[in-house]
DNA sequence: TGCAGATGCTCAGTATGGGTAGCAAGTTCC
DNA sequence: GGAACTTGCTACCCATACTGAGCATCTGCA
């Protein structure tokens, strides 16, 4: 589990650029759901959910909505994660955004030094040096 | 043309419940474009566009974006026409992470190992060992 | 030590999205 | 009456979204 077997060669997309799938999986685990539970709630087969989370397939709108519903997310949030530009007005109101970086910056339990350190670690991970 | 030959009997969907297709067709004609012109602009085949407009097929996100682009509409407008409720269920209590820890857990840019590591660092800082 | 249940994943098949080629009907020009 | 062009639509085909059944692994629990 959690092991990426081989990265299936892929067709053009730089291998591990699976934003949507990772996001869905993260949200599902956050909600403490198994694939089968989520499958039952969304009427999407657990097999397919697994593949979507691993980035092997690009789900349709219908499935995306079902997933959003099961996870109690807005479809917009999922669509943002799926590769769509939203073009119109970038974000504006877009509140929920909530990046990890922002969360760290806003965390009152961290001292300034700790904050800086944690941000450093995080950035080194995601390559936002 | 513009004549509906026979309403293809249909399979369950109440025949003329084709909101998205009608909208697209209306917008296209408003822009005084032929199917083939629009096909050229959007890189979607005229054949498929025809079927989408007639409600015989449900286009994918990718196609929807291409169409929106050709028609100079925002993708949102088209998505609204496609049957999507934006629902988001109840919202409010929704997950999506409020704490730093949740943000880290939900961050799609982190690998499982990185996530664990970062959480470890964070917890060591705030004493939530 | 077993077994039973849950987990995520894979394999094989079906349904549907989407493209290519070609059709019939309508214009315009000869 | 043609061609030569456009229009929208359809028949055929392939790629991919999606499902169902089953596998392998990891727990409990006797």
């Amino acid at each position: 589990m959690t092991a990426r077997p081989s990265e299936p060669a892929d067709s053009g997309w730089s291998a591990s650029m699976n934003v949507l799938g990772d996001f869905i999986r993260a949200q599902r685990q956050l909600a403490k759901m198994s694939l089968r539970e989520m499958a039952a709630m969304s009427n999407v087969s657990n097999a397919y959910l697994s593949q979507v989370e691993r980035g092997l397939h690009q789900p349709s709108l219908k499935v995306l909505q079902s997933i959003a519903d099961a996870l109690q997310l807005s479809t917009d949030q999922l669509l943002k994660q799926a590769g769509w530009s939203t073009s119109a007005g970038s974000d504006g109101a877009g509140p929920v955004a909530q990046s990890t970086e922002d969360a760290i910056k806003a965390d009152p339990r961290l001292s300034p030094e700790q904050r800086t350190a944690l941000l450093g670690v995080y950035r080194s991970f995601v390559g936002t040096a």
Side-chain angles (χ1 to χ4, degrees), chain A:
Chain A
M1 292 190 203
T2 69
R4 305 213 178 205
S6 60
E7 286 302 354
D10 220 319
S11 53
W13 292 87
S14 55
S16 51
M17 202 197 93
N18 173 30
V19 188
L20 175 64
D22 288 338
F23 179 76
I24 292 178
R25 169 155 299 187
Q27 290 296 320
R28 175 174 63 80
Q29 292 174 336
L30 227 145
K32 300 215 186 311
M33 276 196 287
S34 73
L35 278 174
R36 278 179 173 79
E37 286 179 282
M38 188 165 155
M41 295 187 60
S42 60
N43 286 320
V44 176
S45 71
N46 72 76
Y48 189 57
L49 286 178
S50 169
Q51 299 181 79
V52 167
E53 288 189 350
R54 307 192 68 224
L56 303 180
H57 279 299
Q58 168 151 357
S60 71
L61 239 92
K62 205 179 61 187
V63 167
L64 224 46
Q65 277 194 188
S66 303
I67 292 176
D69 213 53
L71 291 176
Q72 304 193 64
L73 299 171
S74 81
T75 318
D76 299 273
Q77 291 176 65
L78 276 191
L79 284 173
K80 293 242 170 52
Q81 299 296 329
W84 87 321
S85 43
T86 303
S87 56
S90 59
D91 68 303
V96 206
Q98 179 66 316
S99 70
T100 298
E101 197 150 317
D102 288 342
I104 293 174
K105 285 176 186 165
D107 195 316
R109 302 204 286 173
L110 293 170
S111 73
E113 298 77 24
Q114 289 174 332
R115 198 184 320 281
T116 305
L118 202 59
L119 276 175
V121 176
Y122 175 69
R123 287 180 180 140
S124 75
F125 280 168
V126 300
T128 322

